[in-house]
Amino acid sequence: MVDKAVMENASGRNTIWGSMGGTCKQILFSPHRFLMKPEFMLVCSVYAVTYGTANSMDTMSKRKVAAQQHRERIAKADPTYVMPPPSILAKYVSPATAQLLSTTAANMSSSMMKDSILAKMFGSGPARSFPLQSYGAFVCRDTITIAAGFTIPGPLSEVFHENSSWSKGNCEIAAQLLCPVSMQVICTPIHLMGLDYYNRPEVTFSDRVAFIKGQYAMVLVVRMARMLPAFGFGGLGNKYFRRTFKEKLDANPLPENVPHPHLPSIPRPHEIHVPPLPGAASTQGCLILGAAIDGGVFDGSEEEAGASGGVTC
């Protein structure tokens, strides 16, 4: 609704309020037709790709950090343990930067596809190729938007918490609602510039600045209203559901010794029979096997050897 209104207003085909009024009327009286419109499905696909990529990268980054911390604990407890060298990507790219770059790439590609299609649908004149200047403007706009929706709220909430009496939860809510909305002060003129390059490719730069000044206040209000539910409330809801599902998984871990329908059951250490080896090798082999399977349950004594001539761990 908002994207269509802004583009029709930029092309001169309709006003923002006239376009939004027509869309609201269709939502009330023909919601099934609205849900099947290309502009609605394009916007839904953009948010699905964006949140899916952000969540995936956040989970992967946290798992890599946890694995690195685990290896450091092993190295501290065992001086003979050799730490594997970190990858080049992990060495020079922080988890926050990795999330920003990957999410921006996903959002940018899907948003530019969406905006190019909508500009051809609701722009002025016949459909034509999208200019490079518009692509460049949308790249800058999407990078700022993703940073405001996923990267900046976390550090900003910590600043709020350190410099105020608010609880940590309230600081997270304030930062998540404030960042995407306030960043539209910067994103709105960039967005209008990209649209104007498509609608009026022949005008001078001063004419584009005059166009942005005339449209800025009204488009800013509309884009703020759009970003508040999209990345403000949407970001809070995304964090809540992820945290809730994670707590449920942590509270109900998969039980041990439950047979999998497609995998053989894992034998316990006392069920494993190791063939005898010359000398003390049998004891050493059982030690290694027991430690590998169950954290070490064989103390190496001869009394624990099986009567059949083998070693039973």
Side-chain angles (χ1 to χ4, degrees):
M1 177 171 64
V2 173
D3 288 330
K4 175 185 176 182
V6 171
M7 291 189 177
E8 285 189 335
N9 178 74
S11 65
R13 293 177 56 175
N14 202 346
T15 63
I16 285 184
W17 307 118
S19 177
M20 293 182 68
T23 304
C24 290
K25 183 178 178 181
Q26 187 178 46
I27 293 174
L28 291 175
F29 296 102
S30 303
H32 60 287
R33 293 183 178 177
F34 172 77
L35 295 177
M36 296 301 295
K37 279 187 168 294
E39 54 267 32
F40 176 77
M41 290 187 285
L42 284 169
V43 172
C44 288
S45 64
V46 169
Y47 289 129
V49 169
T50 301
Y51 276 105
T53 304
N55 291 341
S56 300
M57 288 303 301
D58 183 63
T59 300
M60 292 172 61
S61 299
K62 289 179 178 178
R63 289 181 68 89
K64 285 185 176 294
V65 171
Q68 180 64 22
Q69 293 173 349
H70 180 65
R71 287 192 290 266
E72 291 174 355
R73 287 194 296 268
I74 295 177
K76 187 176 181 181
D78 183 6
T80 63
Y81 177 75
V82 179
M83 287 276 291
S87 64
I88 297 177
L89 186 63
K91 187 176 180 180
Y92 295 103
V93 180
S94 66
T97 303
Q99 184 188 38
L100 174 63
L101 294 177
S102 59
T103 308
T104 300
N107 178 265
M108 182 175 58
S109 57
S110 57
S111 292
M112 287 194 298
M113 178 193 69
K114 181 251 308 176
D115 289 334
S116 62
I117 294 174
L118 294 182
K120 294 174 182 178
M121 291 173 59
F122 306 115
S124 60
R128 54 191 178 275
S129 61
F130 222 56
L132 292 177
Q133 296 92 332
S134 296
Y135 280 122
F138 291 160
V139 167
C140 296
R141 176 204 65 187
D142 292 338
T143 303
I144 297 172
T145 299
I146 296 303
F150 296 98
T151 307
I152 300 177
L156 183 62
S157 67
E158 295 178 1
V159 174
F160 287 167
H161 186 58
E162 293 174 357
N163 296 276
S164 68
S165 59
W166 290 2
S167 66
K168 185 176 181 180
N170 289 336
C171 291
E172 290 179 354
I173 293 174
Q176 189 65 52
L177 295 179
L178 177 64
C179 285
V181 174
S182 60
M183 282 296 180
Q184 296 314 302
V185 175
I186 303 174
C187 292
T188 296
I190 300 175
H191 179 70
L192 289 173
M193 181 73 72
L195 292 179
D196 197 47
Y197 269 111
Y198 176 81
N199 291 321
R200 302 188 304 167
E202 72 286 347
V203 302
T204 62
F205 185 78
S206 59
D207 291 335
R208 301 193 193 282
V209 174
F211 166 76
I212 292 173
K213 287 182 179 179
Q215 300 290 328
Y216 180 77
M218 182 168 50
V219 176
L220 175 64
V221 173
V222 173
R223 285 187 60 83
M224 283 183 168
R226 175 187 177 229
M227 290 299 164
L228 183 61
F231 291 107
F233 296 125
L236 292 174
N238 182 61
K239 290 180 180 178
Y240 170 77
F241 286 115
R242 290 192 68 204
R243 186 183 300 118
T244 301
F245 291 149
K246 185 178 183 300
E247 290 174 354
K248 289 183 178 181
L249 289 174
D250 293 341
N252 299 281
L254 292 176
E256 297 182 5
N257 302 329
V258 175
H260 192 280
H262 302 296
L263 295 175
S265 59
I266 300 176
R268 302 302 295 165
H270 65 275
E271 300 172 346
I272 303 237
H273 182 270
V274 181
L277 297 175
S282 58
T283 300
Q284 183 180 5
C286 187
L287 252 177
I288 296 173
L289 181 61
I293 295 178
D294 202 33
V297 294
F298 181 68
D299 60 5
S301 63
E302 294 295 335
E303 288 78 4
E304 289 194 32
S308 61
V311 179
T312 303
C313 305

